[in-house]
Amino acid sequence: MARSFSAWKSKATLRLLALKTKYKDDPKVLQDIDVLITKLQYLRLRDLHSYLALVHEASSDCEEFLSILPTEEEVEAWFKGGEEE
């Protein structure tokens, strides 16, 4: 069963906070994390495509950002169900 959009956002935020501790000495990665967390906080399903592109761009600084991406099945379920947070 796919996570809800809200559950995914929570899990992604926790993962980003963990990465913040891990990369505390890398200012560029820390800046990326702050941007990703802020955008994630206000993210709506209709804007998910933009957020995914932002994660892709940030992954050039730290490939671990890709670990926060939702699965394709989750995204399909969210759009099919019209789920919004």
Side-chain angles (χ1 to χ4, degrees), residues 6-7 12-14 18 23-24 27-28 30 33 43 47-50 53 57 62 64-65 70-72 81-82 85:
S6 180
T13 300
L14 287 172
Y23 291 96
K24 64 182 178 220
K28 178 62 177 140
L30 292 175
I33 290 169
L43 183 65
D47 301 318
L48 181 60
H49 64 285
S50 295
E57 183 178 326
C62 176
E64 288 186 73
F65 289 143
T71 66
E72 187 175 338
E85 146 106 18

Side-chain angles (χ1 to χ4, degrees), residues 69-85:
L69 294 175
T71 66
E72 187 175 338
E73 292 79 19
E74 288 172 327
V75 173
E76 285 180 20
W78 299 336
F79 279 101
K80 197 177 283 186
E83 183 174 339
E84 185 69 69
E85 146 106 18

Side-chain angles (χ1 to χ4, degrees), residues 20-37:
K20 193 165 189 162
T21 300
K22 182 176 180 179
Y23 291 96
K24 64 182 178 220
D25 297 324
D26 188 331
K28 178 62 177 140
V29 172
L30 292 175
Q31 180 182 2
D32 290 340
I33 290 169
D34 288 342
V35 168
L36 290 171
I37 287 175

Side-chain angles (χ1 to χ4, degrees), residues 34-58:
D34 288 342
V35 168
L36 290 171
I37 287 175
T38 300
K39 299 267 186 195
L40 189 58
Q41 179 180 1
Y42 301 106
L43 183 65
R44 307 292 283 177
L45 184 58
R46 68 177 180 264
D47 301 318
L48 181 60
H49 64 285
S50 295
Y51 189 77
L52 297 178
L54 186 63
V55 172
H56 175 265
E57 183 178 326

